[in-house]
Amino acid sequence: MSFKVLTAEFCHETNAFNIHKTGLKQFEQRLLLNGEVAIAARGEANTELAGFLDASRHHDWIVHHTVSAAAAPAGVVTRKAFDTICAMILDAARATKPDGILLGLHGAMVLEDHPDGEGQLL
């Protein structure tokens, strides 16, 4: 029996001294792709997603990729942008009930109302 694995990429390099907040528009301008569109654009490149897909082929996993999201380095991420992208991941997890989840996270996301964006998602 194959494992069902949910994957997502959600990355931002926050500069807390930058006064320009990072909203959903900034993610849309840099990278905000869903499912198969993200796989087509990033699945053969040097990305976390490509690594997830390589592992899935090796282990015969069934992959459901939700979203690849990244914005250029800038100020804190708005709650609205964060919640919108997180909802894509969380809704997919609830719907697909995966055996495991692989997340490509940068580890430097600060939200306008919380110092640890990745921690909030996890």
Side-chain angles (χ1 to χ4, degrees):
M1 181 173 137
S2 292
F3 283 109
K4 293 186 300 182
V5 179
L6 181 108
T7 62
E9 299 174 297
F10 190 12
C11 301
H12 187 256
E13 173 81 27
T14 300
N15 176 344
F17 296 108
N18 187 327
I19 63 170
H20 302 287
K21 292 183 180 181
T22 304
L24 195 56
K25 179 181 177 183
Q26 285 73 31
F27 283 95
E28 291 168 345
Q29 289 173 338
R30 176 94 181 252
L31 177 69
L32 186 58
L33 302 173
N34 294 316
E36 293 300 320
V37 175
I39 289 172
R42 300 176 55 76
E44 298 295 326
N46 186 18
T47 65
E48 291 89 348
L49 176 55
F52 298 160
L53 295 172
D54 286 346
S56 74
R57 287 186 286 271
H58 180 77
H59 295 287
D60 197 31
W61 295 336
I62 298 165
V63 172
H64 177 83
H65 185 69
T66 58
V67 65
S68 291
V76 297
V77 175
T78 66
R79 175 53 64 178
K80 180 180 178 184
F82 181 78
D83 287 348
T84 298
I85 295 167
C86 284
M88 295 175 192
I89 299 166
L90 297 174
D91 290 348
R94 289 182 195 101
T96 63
K97 297 180 177 33
D99 298 304
I101 299 174
L102 293 171
L103 298 173
L105 305 172
H106 181 61
M109 185 185 308
V110 177
L111 307 178
E112 63 185 341
D113 59 355
H114 195 276
D116 181 7
E118 290 86 0
Q120 285 275 292
L121 172 58
L122 297 174

